[in-house]
Amino acid sequence: MTDNAWDNLQRGDSEAIWHPYAPAVGGPDVFPVVSASGVRLELADGRQLIDGMASWWCAIHGYNHPVLNRAVESQLHAVSHVMFGGLTHPPAVKLAQMLVKLTPPGLDRVFFSDSGSVAVEVAMKMAIQYWHGLNRPEKHKLLALRNGYHGDTIGAMSLCDPVTGMHYLFGDTLPKQLFAPAPQCSFDGPCTDAEMAEITTLLSDHSHEIAAVVLEPIVQGAGGMRFYSPEYLVKVRALCDHYDVLLIFDEIATGFGRTGKLFALEHAGVVPDILCLGKALTGGYMTLAATLCNERICSGISNSEAGAFMHGPTFMANPLACATAIASIQLLLSQPWQRTVQRLQTELAAGLAPARKLESVAEVRTLGAIGVIELKEPVDMRVVQPLFVERGVWVRPFGKLVYAMPPYVMGSADVATLTAAMVDVVAQL
Ligand SMILES: *Cc1c(COP(=O)(O)O)cnc(C)c1O
């Protein structure tokens, strides 16, 4: 494409489009992508960028993958969409069976929705309707963790970190939830009883009004890219059982291998009552999410006044998305993905290690296919974003965090280029 095409795209975009977390007018420049293949994004001027973000952690197999392309194409000729009220279809049935089989025993029922935030809303509604069914409607609050992130819709937002989640902007519209401190224990370390003191007090004081504890297991993602001890999850499960509160795990970011286990909950061997999946579910091809729950939830909701679970998105269980998810999961499981994620962890750790010596860096950490440089000060995106593009990589920092969550198909040389660019750019700040 010509310079003109680039300019036209940028101008057209700035005139008509709103970008995430950006002002309508006067936001930073956006970069036009015209195609993508493997781990490379091609810009409108022909430049290629190594994608360190996997499109917000979704595109685990990279772009334009022949297996996923074929899945979309063949489903397209069967049925691209059909309503899910009163009807079902083969991709939904097969995908639900796969998810039930891959997740821990007990999580046996699947509710499909169209995005991660909605999967979280569904989980919240399941928990609230469950307690209605048990004639305890006063148990309708959620207990979430500081530094958490669960999505951008009103309900999901009410669970996000109350400070960085910008709760003050939405006033009384947001439901008021309870918040426990973010886990401080490291991934490799123990989780002491002292660490559990505050969440224990919250549960013992408020369990009469709490429907569920909701958290991101092992990795708190968009709320800070923080990793914590599996022991914390074991202790939270015990507290939930003791205080008769449900447990919801949001594995929208961690599911499908990102932390080195298929699901992060496997690090702890802990099973929640409700599990949210999204992001990498379709390998980044289409928007699809799922909320799984156990028999206890199903029967509780069946006993509720409504007798049914009261939710039903228009695009629920979209056949194209379900067919792609089946292909993506089969593709993942057909290869030695644990070894791949382990290799990425080793290479990310080695590549980012030099950043430890930099004055501006607070911490460097890696877990699975996640590599994080935490700075002492927030980055200026207007300055940083073009620096990455000039180096031929796509990295999108937020706040103090410069991180990579690459597609699993990224080769060693590209990881080296990606991490060197991250260290370089951070060194320049
Ligand atoms: C991204 C994310 C969500 C929200 O998913 P969307 O598809 O963006 O609505 C929820 N929870 C976690 C942990 C996430 O990482």
Side-chain angles (χ1 to χ4, degrees):
M1 280 203 193
T2 60
D3 281 359
N4 212 4
W6 175 288
D7 291 342
N8 285 342
L9 283 167
Q10 277 195 335
R11 191 171 333 104
D13 182 285
S14 74
E15 281 168 5
I17 299 182
W18 215 315
H19 280 268
Y21 293 100
V25 178
D29 279 349
V30 292
F31 299 88
V33 172
V34 291
S35 72
S37 186
V39 301
R40 282 177 167 68
L41 308 176
E42 187 187 332
L43 299 183
D45 60 1
R47 277 185 291 173
Q48 305 250 334
L49 303 182
I50 297 171
D51 178 19
M53 298 283 94
S55 280
W56 273 335
W57 332 339
C58 302
I60 54 176
H61 306 296
Y63 301 90
N64 209 352
H65 195 291
V67 170
L68 302 188
N69 289 4
R70 224 177 299 126
V72 179
E73 281 157 12
S74 63
Q75 185 57 42
L76 190 58
H77 294 289
V79 50
S80 60
H81 184 64
V82 65
M83 65 185 281
F84 213 51
L87 300 173
T88 193
H89 51 76
V93 174
K94 183 164 181 188
L95 178 58
Q97 287 171 336
M98 284 173 84
L99 293 177
V100 165
K101 188 154 172 264
L102 289 174
T103 52
L107 296 168
D108 289 342
R109 194 153 297 266
V110 183
F111 191 97
F112 288 113
S113 60
D114 27 27
S115 76
S117 299
V118 176
V120 170
E121 300 280 340
V122 165
M124 295 171 76
K125 286 174 71 173
M126 279 181 176
I128 291 165
Q129 261 202 277
Y130 168 81
W131 290 111
H132 258 272
L134 271 68
N135 269 324
R136 307 214 30 208
E138 69 285 0
K139 277 170 79 74
H140 67 272
K141 286 202 177 187
L142 284 296
L143 195 167
L145 303 187
R146 291 187 186 271
N147 282 98
Y149 178 80
H150 297 283
D152 284 359
T153 53
I154 292 283
M157 231 182 121
S158 75
L159 306 174
C160 297
D161 183 273
V163 180
T164 58
M166 295 162 292
H167 286 191
Y168 69 95
L169 289 173
F170 297 90
D172 292 337
T173 307
L174 281 192
K176 296 276 175 288
Q177 314 292 12
L178 296 158
F179 288 92
Q184 301 301 317
C185 42
S186 69
F187 175 74
D188 304 314
C191 170
T192 63
D193 287 337
E195 163 123 35
M196 305 308 288
E198 205 166 326
I199 189 169
T200 304
T201 305
L202 280 166
L203 282 163
S204 95
D205 291 352
H206 296 276
S207 65
H208 61 282
E209 54 175 347
I210 299 178
V213 169
V214 50
L215 54 78
E216 299 154 275
I218 304 297
V219 177
Q220 292 190 295
M225 306 303 287
R226 305 174 76 259
F227 313 147
Y228 64 89
S229 169
E231 269 185 33
Y232 182 90
L233 299 177
V234 175
K235 294 192 171 178
V236 166
R237 177 76 262 186
L239 285 173
C240 287
D241 291 343
H242 182 77
Y243 289 105
D244 202 16
V245 160
L246 299 171
L247 180 57
I248 301 171
F249 281 177
D250 177 350
E251 289 237 22
I252 291 166
T254 49
F256 304 101
R258 185 55 70 177
T259 68
K261 303 278 187 190
L262 195 57
F263 300 105
L265 55 79
E266 294 170 21
H267 289 286
V270 168
V271 185
D273 300 288
I274 302 174
L275 174 68
C276 301
L277 301 175
K279 287 205 163 88
L281 177 56
T282 66
Y285 263 51
M286 265 169 252
T287 177
L288 181 71
T291 307
L292 282 76
C293 71
N294 59 23
E295 176 52 32
R296 176 183 175 189
I297 305 289
C298 296
S299 63
I301 291 175
S302 299
N303 291 333
S304 70
E305 196 185 327
F309 179 55
M310 299 311 274
H311 202 91
T314 305
F315 286 98
M316 185 168 181
N318 172 259
L320 284 173
C322 288
T324 313
I326 293 165
S328 175
I329 294 169
Q330 285 174 339
L331 181 60
L332 182 67
L333 300 180
S334 70
Q335 48 180 313
W337 61 270
Q338 292 97 329
R339 225 188 304 146
T340 303
V341 173
Q342 184 56 55
R343 169 185 64 82
L344 287 167
Q345 170 161 348
T346 306
E347 291 172 355
L348 287 167
L352 297 179
R356 287 213 171 86
K357 294 201 278 296
L358 301 172
E359 187 58 36
S360 57
V361 171
E363 194 185 40
V364 176
R365 51 185 182 267
T366 48
L367 178 65
I370 311 172
V372 184
I373 302 175
E374 182 164 341
L375 304 175
K376 292 174 184 160
E377 301 294 331
V379 297
D380 180 348
M381 288 295 282
R382 277 176 207 269
V383 175
V384 167
Q385 195 72 85
L387 292 178
F388 281 117
V389 173
E390 279 161 27
R391 279 168 179 73
V393 303
W394 182 246
V395 174
R396 179 127 180 115
F398 64 91
K400 298 175 184 171
L401 301 165
V402 177
Y403 73 97
M405 282 172 84
Y408 303 161
V409 293
M410 190 174 289
S412 306
D414 285 341
V415 178
T417 306
L418 172 67
T419 52
M422 290 167 70
V423 174
D424 245 31
V425 167
V426 167
Q428 266 188 46
L429 299 176

